[in-house]
Amino acid sequence: MFFVLLSNYYSGTHVMEGSGRMVVSAVGLNSQTGIIFTLLGAGSEDEEKKMKKGKKQGPPENRNKAKTQDGIALEIQPLKSEEGAESEEKEEKEEKEKKKVNVTKKEKSVLQGKLTRLAVQIGKAGLIMSAVTVIILILFFVIDTFGVQGREWTAECTPIYIQYFVKFFIIGVTVLVVAVPEGLPLAVTISLAFSVKKMMKDNNLVRHLDACETMGNATAICSDKTGTLTMNRMTVVQAYIGDTHYKSIPEPEAINSETLEVLVNSISINSAYTTKILPSEKEGGLPRHVGNKTECALLGMVLDLKRDYQPIRDEVPEEKLYKVYTFNSSRKSMSTVLKNTSGPGFRMYSKGASEIVLRKCSHILDASGQPRVFKAKDRDEMVRKVIEPMACDGLRTICVAMRDFTTEPDWDNEADILNDLTCICVVGIEDPVRPEVPEAISKCQRSGITVRMVTGDNINTARAIATKCGILQPGEDFLCMEGKDFNQQIRNDKGEVEQERLDKVWPKLRVLARSSPTDKHTLVKGIIDSTVGETRQVVAVTGDGTNDGPALKKADVGFAMGIAGTDVAKEASDIILTDDNFTSIVKAVMWGRNVYDSISKFLQFQLTVNVVAVIVAFTGACITQDSPLKAVQMLWVNLIMDTLASLALATEPPTEALLLRKPYGRDKPLISRTMMKNILGHAVYQLIITFTLLFAGEKFFNIDSGRNAPLHSPPSEHYTIIFNVFVMMQLFNEINARKIHGERNVFEGIYRNPIFCCVVLGTFALQIIIVQFGGKPFSCTALTIDQWLWCIFIGVGELLWGQFISAVPTHRLKFLKEAGHGIPKEDIAEEVLTEGADEIDHAEMELRKGQILWFRGLNRIQTQIKVVNAFRSSLYEGLEKPESRSSIHNFMSHPEFVPLSEEESRVPTIDEDCVEIEHLPSSSRNGGGGKPPGRSLHSHEFSV
């Protein structure tokens, strides 16, 4: 078979089945492929270059003429004329202004933006506290030494004074080190890395790290149907045979033997012999369906009836088929004629859409296998009692029939041939919903996530599948519409999409059927850009084909199918579902929310230590001229609360309880009121204990006081006990930090996280070693058993105090404020909205302007290098250009999914504009990645 597809005449058509050779002529941006790749962002730069080139090269006499290229009218204007130069300059200025206004305000990462903002604020507060501590220490020393005591600065005392000043500076640096939360990036990295590794076991291959935590904020999921919600395996689930309506495939014994024989022969012979059901490649897997899905379903029914179709095909090979009427859209049926071997005459087997074939049936096989008259009233009753109930269940109904000819008719007269049939059976075929999908969708809905189905199927099938999945709930106010109606409601008279119109549709929309790739992209973009709700919607999208690429790329999180997905879909996505199952999306939601919780747990623990350590160091230094916690001890505490705590709290596995609450939201603070209550409550307990031990601990333990010790005095038991009690309180408070939503049982699920248990026990063991054997380097002296027991007892008091704090209702503490909000839109700096800025990094906003200029300087150097390379490549215009490797993979940052066929040799050709068009990789022929076709002709051998 040889086809020549002309550029504009066949624009947007699809080859569904067949094999052969074809010559493909590029159809440009008007084709479906061109639209998809334009939405993906590929080829836009080339089009701009062509437009600019057309403007520059156009002669003056053609200034007002339009040249149509690939369906786009390009205005050609002279570059040399003053009027042309002014208009071009004006257009460029307007274009820049438009880009500046329409820049996409998209955060690189919601969590990273909040964390960086919070970290910078804490760091500033710590810097102020550190500076104030040093200043107070110096002023107190100077006033007391030279003012009150009346001493003079002598040369021999200079080294001593300098040592005091160095000591004060070290104390200030220690306060700063403890205050600055340098463990936040580590906690985020550990949590994300841990989640990504575990998500791989849950069939989620994460390509972009930010997608993991973004999924925790998801408020909407736009899922396709086939293969994701359903099994992508057409199956016969109901049958009407011998005057009996079976709700499932009956046993062979329940069917008359003659009827069964005719049914099996009809299905086996009257189908493409290339359609087969093969054994599974994996042990324990489902059989593989090869060929037409509907015919595979019928062959599967034959196997369910304990029969085999292959011996029948071997007995009647294709060469013995007398006549074949292939399926087409007009007759909606397929028929195969056999010549009788036992005598004269012919037998014809037919199958097709039930409403079409039943009209041509005059008889039907009854329970005894004998044909009886099938009148119009019988057909109407059958439609009412059998066909319509099947259709309401979302089934595709197929009628299997036959006819015997005693003499040879006129085979070209199809109207007479396909008539007077005898109905054998009517079957209902569906693509079954995955058994685990309804429960998964129910979990999403309980967790505040709206699931929408976007499919290319007809609306009745989509509505039925959506009802079975649980997307459509009885009594709920929802919309189900086709793509045509969807576009009529969201577009104005000019055909432009209006956000106001879209905002009236999408909140209630649950099923979008007969949708095109543009419809899916428009819906996703409209939901993301909408300002209807209190917070911006975070949208996740699933897809497997090249058509889904634009929506996958536009979504906050794109899920591509790992088995059925094309290269374009995978590269446009953020996460790949290795099992093509919707339940894996629910697991991704759990892990995303778990990342947020892990970071919040770490923040709750760290900020408690920060507040206590800074206040103790500051107050102790101001009152006693020395910090109760020495510099090395503070560094050890810092190690506990940063590195070890991040490792312990950021590796907590997710639980089903994460799906019992609504999404966090992009603007919700990291530190809630409950967390703030826990931070301040535990800080109060620790400060009371620490100051009590500092000023009265020597009396309680009957030891010498460590206050006001000389400059180089040995470690004291007093300050060692303070240090040990402080660490013990942090260890037990780390257990309290496991719960951030007011839960009472802080030990729940602690054994599910062996890393946490190892970190706590390891820290306790190291603390024993430091105290007992650390000596002067750690400013510690060995403690007795009684002293250790008291230290542990005071630490355990953290758990009891935590129960008291949990009992205090948060809603009564009106004075508590939340922290760690996202940056509101009104606070976004205007200078960020510059040309080419497609992402706003809220972390960058917290840096000083000099740092911003420094980073942007580096970025602009990189941009200038690209410009130089582009200028050098332009020197080759009109000449032989160096070999190019331009494809869709150029604008993707992850090359791991580049198909091997990309490495095949390319035959460069030059079109009329001297633009090189490459040989399309084989993946693009099969729906995969590749550059959209240009204007050159390529010969491809294909098989669909």
Side-chain angles (χ1 to χ4, degrees):
M1 185 181 293
F2 187 80
F3 296 100
V4 177
L5 303 184
L6 299 178
S7 176
N8 292 323
Y9 190 78
Y10 288 97
S11 175
T13 59
H14 298 273
V15 179
M16 302 305 294
E17 291 187 11
S19 62
R21 286 179 176 271
M22 64 189 299
V23 176
V24 180
S25 175
V27 294
L29 296 178
N30 286 335
S31 68
Q32 194 67 46
T33 304
I35 294 171
I36 292 170
F37 279 79
T38 300
L39 293 175
L40 282 170
S44 57
E45 295 181 0
D46 295 339
E47 292 301 324
E48 289 180 4
K49 289 180 181 178
K50 287 182 181 180
M51 292 176 68
K52 291 181 180 179
K53 185 177 179 182
K55 289 180 180 180
K56 292 180 181 179
Q57 293 181 350
E61 59 269 20
N62 293 335
R63 176 175 152 194
N64 296 323
K65 293 181 181 179
K67 176 187 175 185
T68 303
Q69 178 180 348
D70 294 337
I72 298 178
L74 304 179
E75 185 72 13
I76 302 177
Q77 294 182 352
L79 181 65
K80 294 182 180 180
S81 66
E82 294 180 2
E83 184 181 351
E86 290 177 0
S87 62
E88 184 176 347
E89 184 178 351
K90 185 178 180 181
E91 286 180 6
E92 290 181 357
K93 187 175 180 181
E94 291 177 354
E95 188 176 346
K96 287 182 179 180
E97 291 294 330
K98 188 177 180 181
K99 283 184 178 180
K100 187 173 182 180
V101 172
N102 295 333
V103 64
T104 304
K105 302 182 181 71
K106 180 181 177 182
E107 292 181 354
K108 287 183 178 179
S109 168
V110 181
L111 181 61
Q112 291 284 6
K114 292 180 181 179
L115 283 175
T116 307
R117 195 162 186 248
L118 180 63
V120 171
Q121 292 171 350
I122 295 174
K124 290 178 179 178
L127 182 61
I128 294 173
M129 289 293 293
S130 174
V132 171
T133 302
V134 174
I135 293 172
I136 290 177
L137 286 173
I138 293 176
L139 290 177
F140 191 92
F141 175 77
V142 170
I143 294 173
D144 181 66
T145 304
F146 302 108
V148 177
Q149 300 181 17
R151 297 183 181 179
E152 295 182 0
W153 188 298
T154 58
E156 57 270 14
C157 293
T158 299
I160 299 176
Y161 295 151
I162 291 177
Q163 289 182 32
Y164 272 106
F165 291 144
V166 170
K167 176 184 175 182
F168 300 152
F169 179 75
I170 291 175
I171 293 174
V173 171
T174 304
V175 172
L176 179 61
V177 169
V178 173
V180 174
E182 66 273 9
L184 272 179
L186 180 63
V188 175
T189 303
I190 290 177
S191 182
L192 288 176
F194 176 78
S195 299
V196 166
K197 183 180 178 181
K198 294 294 184 181
M199 286 174 71
M200 187 62 193
K201 296 182 180 179
D202 287 338
N203 302 309
N204 283 271
L205 175 61
V206 181
R207 297 183 66 242
H208 302 141
L209 209 58
D210 292 344
C212 179
E213 53 97 352
T214 303
M215 198 58 206
N217 290 315
T219 58
I221 298 176
C222 295
S223 174
D224 58 353
K225 178 182 75 69
T226 305
T228 307
L229 301 177
T230 62
M231 301 178 67
N232 196 20
R233 296 174 61 85
M234 300 301 291
T235 308
V236 175
V237 293
Q238 294 186 29
Y240 182 84
I241 307 174
D243 295 335
T244 304
H245 186 184
Y246 297 96
K247 294 295 184 179
S248 60
I249 302 299
E251 294 295 327
E253 296 79 14
I255 305 175
N256 180 272
S257 58
E258 294 181 4
T259 303
L260 180 61
E261 191 70 24
V262 172
L263 175 61
V264 171
N265 288 338
S266 176
I267 294 175
S268 302
I269 295 173
N270 187 32
S271 61
Y273 279 25
T274 55
T275 301
K276 301 176 182 178
I277 297 181
L278 303 178
S280 174
E281 295 178 344
K282 299 179 181 179
E283 185 177 355
L286 295 173
R288 289 181 294 141
H289 287 185
V290 178
N292 185 277
K293 299 294 184 182
T294 302
E295 292 182 348
C296 284
L298 294 172
L299 293 178
M301 177 183 175
V302 171
L303 298 178
D304 291 338
L305 291 172
K306 309 295 190 296
R307 296 299 185 94
D308 191 0
Y309 62 87
Q310 194 57 46
I312 299 174
R313 289 182 172 181
D314 294 338
E315 184 180 347
V316 186
E318 287 184 285
E319 293 79 15
K320 290 187 177 182
L321 302 181
Y322 190 80
K323 182 74 175 177
V324 176
Y325 296 93
T326 59
F327 181 90
N328 63 36
S329 58
S330 60
R331 74 166 71 96
K332 292 188 181 298
S333 65
M334 173 185 179
S335 301
T336 303
V337 181
L338 293 178
K339 190 171 185 179
N340 293 336
T341 56
S342 58
F346 304 86
R347 170 165 285 190
M348 180 180 70
Y349 296 113
S350 298
K351 72 171 185 290
S354 59
E355 65 273 13
I356 302 295
V357 177
L358 280 177
R359 288 199 210 104
K360 300 175 181 179
C361 290
S362 60
H363 295 79
I364 186 171
L365 296 181
D366 58 16
S368 62
Q370 300 300 316
R372 63 175 171 82
V373 177
F374 189 64
K375 299 180 179 179
K377 64 176 183 179
D378 298 327
R379 182 176 63 248
D380 294 340
E381 183 179 2
M382 187 174 179
V383 168
R384 187 177 70 256
K385 293 184 177 180
V386 178
I387 306 297
E388 289 182 355
M390 286 185 179
C392 292
D393 290 338
L395 305 184
R396 177 187 301 173
T397 54
I398 302 293
C399 180
V400 180
M402 58 173 283
R403 180 182 179 183
D404 288 324
F405 297 90
T406 55
T407 59
E408 185 170 2
D410 182 8
W411 299 113
D412 294 331
N413 189 354
E414 289 189 22
D416 292 338
I417 297 297
L418 300 177
N419 201 4
D420 197 21
L421 303 176
T422 299
C423 175
I424 302 173
C425 75
V426 175
V427 298
I429 301 176
E430 75 167 352
D431 187 2
V433 174
R434 291 179 181 267
E436 63 274 13
V437 164
E439 177 61 24
I441 290 180
S442 177
K443 290 180 180 178
C444 287
Q445 292 169 342
R446 284 198 303 268
S447 62
I449 301 175
T450 302
V451 181
R452 295 177 175 85
M453 179 195 291
V454 183
T455 179
D457 284 351
N458 68 72
I459 191 167
N460 293 325
T461 303
R463 185 186 287 110
I465 295 296
T467 303
K468 292 180 180 179
C469 292
I471 295 176
L472 302 182
Q473 298 288 344
E476 187 183 41
D477 186 15
F478 57 81
L479 288 176
C480 296
M481 61 174 58
E482 294 185 343
K484 182 180 179 181
D485 300 329
F486 175 72
N487 280 283
Q488 287 178 351
Q489 293 196 27
I490 67 172
R491 297 181 184 272
N492 56 22
D493 297 337
K494 298 179 180 179
E496 300 171 342
V497 177
E498 291 185 355
Q499 187 64 43
E500 293 181 0
R501 291 171 176 252
L502 190 56
D503 288 341
K504 297 178 181 178
V505 176
W506 73 260
K508 294 183 180 180
L509 182 66
R510 294 296 179 270
V511 175
L512 182 61
R514 295 297 185 197
S515 64
S516 67
T518 308
D519 294 338
K520 194 171 185 178
H521 178 271
T522 302
L523 175 63
V524 173
K525 184 178 184 299
I527 296 176
I528 292 176
D529 295 342
S530 177
T531 57
V532 171
E534 296 179 358
T535 60
R536 180 175 91 71
Q537 296 282 312
V538 179
V539 183
V541 172
T542 67
D544 56 2
T546 303
N547 294 348
D548 299 316
L552 288 171
K553 190 176 183 191
K554 179 63 182 175
D556 295 288
V557 181
F559 288 87
M561 304 297 113
I563 299 174
T566 61
D567 290 338
V568 173
K570 290 176 181 177
E571 292 197 18
S573 66
D574 303 294
I575 299 176
I576 296 176
L577 302 178
T578 57
D579 62 346
D580 291 11
N581 199 332
F582 187 86
T583 54
S584 299
I585 300 176
V586 180
K587 293 176 182 177
V589 173
M590 289 175 57
W591 279 107
R593 295 188 175 186
N594 189 62
V595 168
Y596 254 77
D597 275 14
S598 297
I599 301 305
S600 298
K601 293 171 185 177
F602 172 74
L603 278 172
Q604 177 175 296
F605 173 71
Q606 188 190 44
L607 292 181
T608 304
V609 184
N610 272 11
V611 170
V612 177
V614 170
I615 293 178
V616 167
F618 174 78
T619 308
C622 294
I623 295 177
T624 65
Q625 293 294 293
D626 191 11
S627 174
L629 300 175
K630 308 302 179 185
V632 178
Q633 295 173 352
M634 286 285 234
L635 293 177
W636 167 237
V637 172
N638 196 51
L639 180 64
I640 294 175
M641 71 178 187
D642 278 350
T643 308
L644 299 179
S646 61
L647 187 63
L649 296 172
T651 54
E652 192 84 20
T655 62
E656 292 287 339
L658 293 167
L659 298 176
L660 299 179
R661 60 174 184 267
K662 303 300 180 183
Y664 274 116
R666 300 175 69 90
D667 300 326
K668 186 171 181 178
L670 280 171
I671 303 175
S672 62
R673 284 189 173 183
T674 303
M675 291 174 60
M676 189 65 73
K677 178 187 70 174
N678 293 336
I679 292 170
L680 297 180
H682 288 289
V684 168
Y685 174 83
Q686 294 180 17
L687 287 172
I688 291 174
I689 294 295
T690 303
F691 285 129
T692 301
L693 292 177
L694 177 61
F695 297 108
E698 70 277 9
K699 298 177 182 178
F700 182 81
F701 288 99
N702 195 20
I703 54 178
D704 295 333
S705 174
R707 297 189 302 275
N708 300 319
L711 188 61
H712 297 292
S713 58
S716 64
E717 283 184 304
H718 185 194
Y719 275 26
T720 302
I721 290 175
I722 294 175
F723 166 61
N724 199 32
V725 167
F726 185 81
V727 172
M728 290 299 108
M729 288 191 296
Q730 308 315 319
L731 276 181
F732 287 98
N733 189 39
E734 195 167 350
I735 300 175
N736 285 324
R738 294 183 65 250
K739 303 299 179 182
I740 57 175
H741 300 290
E743 299 92 335
R744 303 298 292 268
N745 186 6
V746 295
F747 290 98
E748 181 183 3
I750 192 171
Y751 297 111
R752 294 177 60 239
N753 188 5
I755 297 178
F756 180 88
C757 299
C758 292
V759 167
V760 172
L761 295 177
T763 304
F764 182 74
L766 288 174
Q767 179 66 16
I768 294 175
I769 294 173
I770 289 173
V771 171
Q772 297 299 117
F773 308 103
K776 194 168 184 179
F778 283 91
S779 301
C780 292
T781 184
L783 301 179
T784 64
I785 296 296
D786 294 340
Q787 292 170 340
W788 265 104
L789 291 176
W790 275 110
C791 292
I792 296 174
F793 174 76
I794 295 173
V796 172
E798 270 285 356
L799 298 176
L800 302 176
W801 184 255
Q803 295 300 309
F804 171 75
I805 294 175
S806 299
V808 178
T810 307
H811 65 273
R812 293 180 177 272
L813 306 176
K814 302 293 185 181
F815 62 92
L816 294 179
K817 294 183 179 180
E818 300 167 331
H821 290 268
I823 294 183
K825 293 181 179 179
E826 54 269 17
D827 293 344
I828 297 178
E830 184 179 355
E831 61 183 13
V832 177
L833 306 180
T834 55
E835 179 182 359
D838 57 353
E839 285 186 340
I840 295 175
D841 186 356
H842 285 182
E844 183 184 272
M845 292 175 164
E846 294 293 337
L847 302 177
R848 290 181 290 109
K849 189 172 181 180
Q851 292 172 315
I852 296 176
L853 294 176
W854 167 255
F855 288 122
R856 288 187 179 173
L858 294 178
N859 290 335
R860 292 193 176 184
I861 290 175
Q862 295 176 348
T863 304
Q864 290 170 358
I865 292 174
K866 293 179 182 178
V867 172
V868 171
N869 291 335
F871 177 74
R872 290 175 59 189
S873 64
S874 66
L875 297 177
Y876 292 96
E877 289 188 0
L879 303 174
E880 182 181 0
K881 295 178 65 176
E883 184 180 0
S884 172
R885 293 181 58 84
S886 176
S887 72
I888 187 175
H889 302 287
N890 288 120
F891 68 90
M892 297 298 180
S893 58
H894 295 270
E896 56 264 32
F897 294 105
V898 177
L900 294 177
S901 57
E902 283 254 320
E903 302 299 328
E904 296 175 1
S905 60
R906 292 168 167 80
V907 182
T909 58
I910 308 298
D911 67 359
E912 63 183 24
D913 289 330
C914 299
V915 178
E916 181 184 357
I917 307 297
E918 298 175 347
H919 219 56
L920 289 176
S922 60
S923 58
S924 66
R925 296 172 233 150
N926 298 325
K931 186 174 180 179
R935 295 179 57 85
S936 60
L937 297 177
H938 300 293
S939 176
H940 296 295
E941 185 172 1
F942 73 101
S943 178
V944 180

